[in-house]
């Protein structure tokens, strides 16, 4: 069974640009969560989508947005990039209703560098 | 709000040494507790979990016991190997529903040298 796939693996952008990251969950998983990982803050929850609807949202500005498609694939978008957005963005998929049950399956992440 | 505090790393040990990584939490009610591990260049993997007080989670030689009285969930391993070098994250899930996102600690980097 294929794992969670995130693309691209690395991304370099400049301040003010926007970026879109992609995540393909494990087949059959309908929930996709996004986390931002930085050395100083650790993992911070961005949002979670289930059946194309945002079900949970963390404390990030509106520049961070996401969506989920009917095949459960998800994208997140960051507009007007800032230097502080440099981070590893992790996507995790899970079966319905289980994002708090510890059965999260993570991708390898997209390393975003903002110059 | 709910939070998790882990000991700061990095932790450097020799092979076969005993490992303890401290984790304490603050939460309302009775959360579920987890340890995740992130190997270099990879995403996080669930290592073990405990869902109620006095439960012991174990996997791959690692153990952690849910201590409600001390709000702790310390990770231990009796004899570490070089292959255990990774970043370890303690996490909790609120008790209200399975749809509550996990809250993670900041992670502890472990380096094991031969």
């Amino acid at each position: 069974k294929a794992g969670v796939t995130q693309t691209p693996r690395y991304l370099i952008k400049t301040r003010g640009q926007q970026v879109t990251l992609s995540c393909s969950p494990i087949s059959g998983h309908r929930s996709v969560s996004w986390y931002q990982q930085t050395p100083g803050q650790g993992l911070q929850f961005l949002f979670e989508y289930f059946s194309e609807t945002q079900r949970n949202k963390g404390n990030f500005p509106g520049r961070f947005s996401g969506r989920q498609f009917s095949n459960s694939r998800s994208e997140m978008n960051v507009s007007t990039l800032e230097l502080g957005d440099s981070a590893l963005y992790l996507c995790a998929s899970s079966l319905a209703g289980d994002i708090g049950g510890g059965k999260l399956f993570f991708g390898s992440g997209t390393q975003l560098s903002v110059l | 709000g709910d939070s998790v505090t882990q000991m700061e790393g990095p932790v450097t040990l020799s092979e076969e040494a005993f490992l303890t990584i401290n984790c304490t939490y603050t939460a309302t009610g009775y959360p579920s507790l987890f340890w995740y591990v992130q190997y270099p260049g990879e995403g996080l993997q669930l290592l073990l979990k405990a869902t109620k007080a006095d439960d012991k989670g174990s996997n791959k030689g690692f153990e952690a016991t849910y201590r409600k009285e001390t709000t702790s969930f310390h990770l231990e391993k009796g004899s570490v190997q070089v292959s255990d070098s990774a970043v370890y994250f303690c996490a909790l899930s609120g008790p209200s529903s399975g749809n509550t996102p996990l809250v993670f600690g900041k992670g502890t980097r472990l380096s094991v040298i031969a």
Side-chain angles (χ1 to χ4, degrees), chain B residues 4-7 18-25 33-35 47-48 50 55-58 62-68 70-77 88 90:
Chain B
V4 174
T5 302
Q6 288 180 237
M7 62 184 288
F18 184 86
L19 168 71
T20 299
I21 299 179
N22 290 337
C23 170
T24 57
Y25 67 89
L33 301 172
F34 309 89
W35 278 100
L47 181 60
L48 53 84
D55 264 3
K56 178 185 283 188
S58 61
F62 291 89
E63 292 183 340
T65 301
Y66 189 142
R67 300 288 188 200
K68 178 173 172 292
T70 55
T71 61
S72 65
F73 193 55
H74 305 321
L75 182 68
E76 296 181 335
K77 187 175 185 183
Y88 292 82
C90 185

Side-chain angles (χ1 to χ4, degrees), chain A residues 65-76:
Chain A
S65 62
R67 59 177 175 168
Q68 186 179 33
F69 302 96
S70 58
N71 62 358
S72 294
R73 190 177 71 85
S74 177
E75 290 181 346
M76 69 162 280

